[in-house]
Amino acid sequence: MLHSIVSYYFVVATTYQQQRSSRSSLQETTNRTDEQSRWQRRTEKRRQRTEELLNSIEIGTSLSLLPKLQSEELTNLNIPTLGIPPSSAIDWNEIDPKLDPIRGGKLREGSQRGSRKRFQVEAFHFVVSEILNAQLHAQNSPFGVTIIDAGCGAGNLGISLAGLSDSSIINTKVLAVDVNEHALKRLSDRAEAILSPEKLETVCADLANYDLILSKIPPNHSVIVVSLHACGAASDMAMNLAIRCNAPFILCPCCTAKSLTKRLPSNTEMRTTFDLSASFQRSGASADIKYPRSKWLMDKLYEYDSDVVEMTLEEKYTLLAKVADIGIGPQTMSQQRQQQARAKKIIELDRLLAASEEHGYDVRLMRITNHDPLVYSKGDLLIGGKDIAETLINLPEEGELHRQT
């Protein structure tokens, strides 16, 4: 009898526990489903806002960055790919291996990253050469040029530019600037065997420290600023550095969303210095950089009124910068890349038009070869300078070279 009672209560208790567990599991599933539904609704609203914002900027907008280039509707504006004539291409098998970003930079042979890095170096080298040739023809006496590699990292660009420049024609020096001491040490170790201090010098500095960087320029030198994949606002600092000395710039920005980071003081009591030990802090905007950068984009964002939710100017730009960087999900990869490419084109035009509006720069937006924006979003080439319109217009496009051959 006692055994039967115990068995009965055991069955009741087990059944109760199972029912309780089942109800709990059902509730968790319901909560997850509700949370997913809320996330999907929020994402759908963000996607709708993004599409509205992109359309409001693109539709009815015509742009011509240079007077002799035909004005195009922004919706139809295809960024031309820079074409490099075979006579100007780098023969990677013939140069010193340490100048090659694959062999010298220890990138894996045959990898996409290594191949892209070569195309990037080749594009920068070609444009720098075209600007230098134009400057040389405009002057009657020899002069020196300092190429500032802003945000140089381990030196895949700066070392190549220093080693490939022909100093018999122009006295050229590379000033490699980065806030990362370890990256500069790697650069110096690699360059030591092939480049003299007269050809390449390093400076450990925040790119916002314009006065320190410019103090390293010899008094008889002109300047060209280059910057390959300086994250976030570091690309804007590189542009500002060029503008400080009326110098041409060649930039290939990346990680646009990092520019939205606010630089936080490392000492919360003193609040006099910035903590640059974290990359997201180094990539944040300094006090002299405001977004949007151009009057053109500011006016466009002020004109846009969302049908979904009211947004401030800062919120509109933030949405653009984030979409340009990472897109909005859930989408197919193709949909995400298309929205990214549209938003990033606007972000880069904003940078260029700021240099044009405020400082009278001639500017052009191009793309590095083999950098399809629907595959790889970090291939935009921003080129600008004072009185270099003819040089920019004459930069060959990939399609033109194919038609000539």
Side-chain angles (χ1 to χ4, degrees), residues 130-392:
E130 292 297 292
I131 292 174
L132 287 177
N133 287 336
Q135 290 182 350
L136 185 63
H137 291 148
Q139 298 197 24
N140 298 321
S141 57
F143 61 98
V145 177
T146 295
I147 301 171
I148 301 177
D149 184 4
C152 61
N156 280 323
L157 176 60
I159 288 175
S160 297
L161 292 181
L164 293 169
S165 63
D166 188 351
S167 292
S168 65
I169 301 174
I170 303 175
N171 178 21
T172 307
K173 174 180 182 176
V174 170
L175 183 66
V177 184
D178 206 289
V179 75
N180 188 327
E181 293 180 353
H182 299 294
L184 289 177
K185 176 67 165 59
R186 289 175 57 197
L187 183 155
S188 298
D189 290 345
R190 176 178 161 192
E192 188 175 21
I194 55 170
L195 295 171
S196 67
E198 289 74 29
K199 291 291 292 180
L200 187 143
E201 179 185 355
T202 62
V203 178
C204 187
D206 176 20
L207 289 184
N209 196 341
Y210 308 123
D211 292 338
L212 172 61
I213 296 168
L214 295 179
S215 71
K216 304 296 182 179
I217 309 298
N220 61 337
H221 275 218
S222 62
V223 172
I224 298 176
V225 176
V226 299
S227 184
L228 175 59
H229 295 166
C231 290
S235 289
D236 297 293
M237 295 174 206
M239 181 184 288
N240 283 3
L241 188 62
I243 290 170
R244 284 282 182 113
C245 48
N246 288 321
F249 60 76
I250 308 160
L251 315 175
C252 182
C254 71
C255 306
T256 56
K258 287 186 178 180
S259 63
L260 305 172
T261 303
K262 305 296 184 185
R263 286 191 164 200
L264 301 176
S266 58
N267 187 326
T268 55
E269 294 179 359
M270 299 293 292
R271 296 189 178 276
T272 56
T273 58
F274 295 101
D275 181 8
L276 299 176
S277 60
S279 65
F280 72 92
Q281 283 287 294
R282 298 195 296 267
S283 305
S286 52
D288 61 323
I289 297 173
K290 307 296 181 186
Y291 300 104
R293 301 214 63 191
S294 68
K295 183 178 182 301
W296 166 76
L297 186 56
M298 184 175 292
D299 289 345
K300 282 290 180 182
L301 294 182
Y302 272 130
E303 290 170 8
Y304 166 66
D305 290 319
S306 173
D307 294 333
V308 181
V309 65
E310 187 174 339
M311 300 172 70
T312 65
L313 178 68
E314 183 179 2
E315 288 169 339
K316 294 171 188 177
Y317 184 86
T318 296
L319 180 60
L320 268 181
K322 287 183 176 179
V323 172
D325 201 1
I326 57 176
I328 290 182
Q331 294 174 301
T332 65
M333 183 57 70
S334 175
Q335 290 172 326
Q336 178 174 324
R337 290 295 193 193
Q338 285 172 357
Q339 275 199 336
Q340 277 183 281
R342 291 168 66 193
K344 193 164 189 297
K345 178 168 65 176
I346 292 168
I347 293 291
E348 306 308 2
L349 287 171
D350 176 49
R351 284 173 160 144
L352 288 173
L353 287 169
S356 176
E357 292 169 356
E358 298 175 27
H359 306 285
Y361 267 53
D362 300 317
V363 294
R364 191 169 188 194
L365 178 60
M366 302 190 81
R367 181 166 286 125
I368 299 172
T369 189
N370 283 359
H371 282 59
D372 184 344
L374 300 184
V375 177
Y376 184 75
S377 62
K378 302 177 182 179
D380 294 322
L381 206 58
L382 283 63
I383 314 166
K386 289 285 187 73
D387 303 319
I388 63 168
E390 206 64 37
T391 302
L392 297 183

Side-chain angles (χ1 to χ4, degrees), residues 21-195:
S21 176
S22 178
R23 285 196 299 270
S24 175
S25 177
L26 179 61
Q27 184 63 45
E28 288 177 5
T29 302
T30 302
N31 290 342
R32 281 198 301 269
T33 302
D34 289 344
E35 183 59 35
Q36 287 174 350
S37 297
R38 286 194 294 271
W39 177 76
Q40 288 171 343
R41 288 194 296 271
R42 289 196 301 269
T43 303
E44 184 57 40
K45 285 183 178 180
R46 283 198 298 270
R47 191 182 301 113
Q48 186 178 342
R49 289 200 302 272
T50 301
E51 193 63 30
E52 284 181 0
L53 183 56
L54 291 173
N55 286 337
S56 73
I57 296 169
E58 294 171 338
I59 295 175
T61 298
S62 294
L63 280 178
S64 177
L65 297 182
L66 290 165
K68 292 186 180 180
L69 294 180
Q70 184 178 357
S71 178
E72 287 189 75
E73 288 279 341
L74 192 52
T75 48
N76 303 322
L77 180 60
N78 293 316
I79 302 174
T81 298
L82 176 68
I84 299 177
S87 59
S88 300
I90 298 171
D91 188 341
W92 297 106
N93 293 320
E94 293 297 321
I95 66 173
D96 190 307
K98 289 189 180 296
L99 301 179
D100 180 5
I102 291 181
R103 292 173 294 169
K106 295 183 171 51
L107 301 179
R108 187 162 55 87
E109 187 78 46
S111 67
Q112 285 188 337
R113 182 167 181 243
S115 176
R116 281 197 297 258
K117 197 61 67 178
R118 278 182 171 175
F119 283 121
Q120 292 157 10
V121 169
E122 199 164 43
F124 274 82
H125 177 256
F126 177 71
V127 178
V128 166
S129 298
E130 292 297 292
I131 292 174
L132 287 177
N133 287 336
Q135 290 182 350
L136 185 63
H137 291 148
Q139 298 197 24
N140 298 321
S141 57
F143 61 98
V145 177
T146 295
I147 301 171
I148 301 177
D149 184 4
C152 61
N156 280 323
L157 176 60
I159 288 175
S160 297
L161 292 181
L164 293 169
S165 63
D166 188 351
S167 292
S168 65
I169 301 174
I170 303 175
N171 178 21
T172 307
K173 174 180 182 176
V174 170
L175 183 66
V177 184
D178 206 289
V179 75
N180 188 327
E181 293 180 353
H182 299 294
L184 289 177
K185 176 67 165 59
R186 289 175 57 197
L187 183 155
S188 298
D189 290 345
R190 176 178 161 192
E192 188 175 21
I194 55 170
L195 295 171

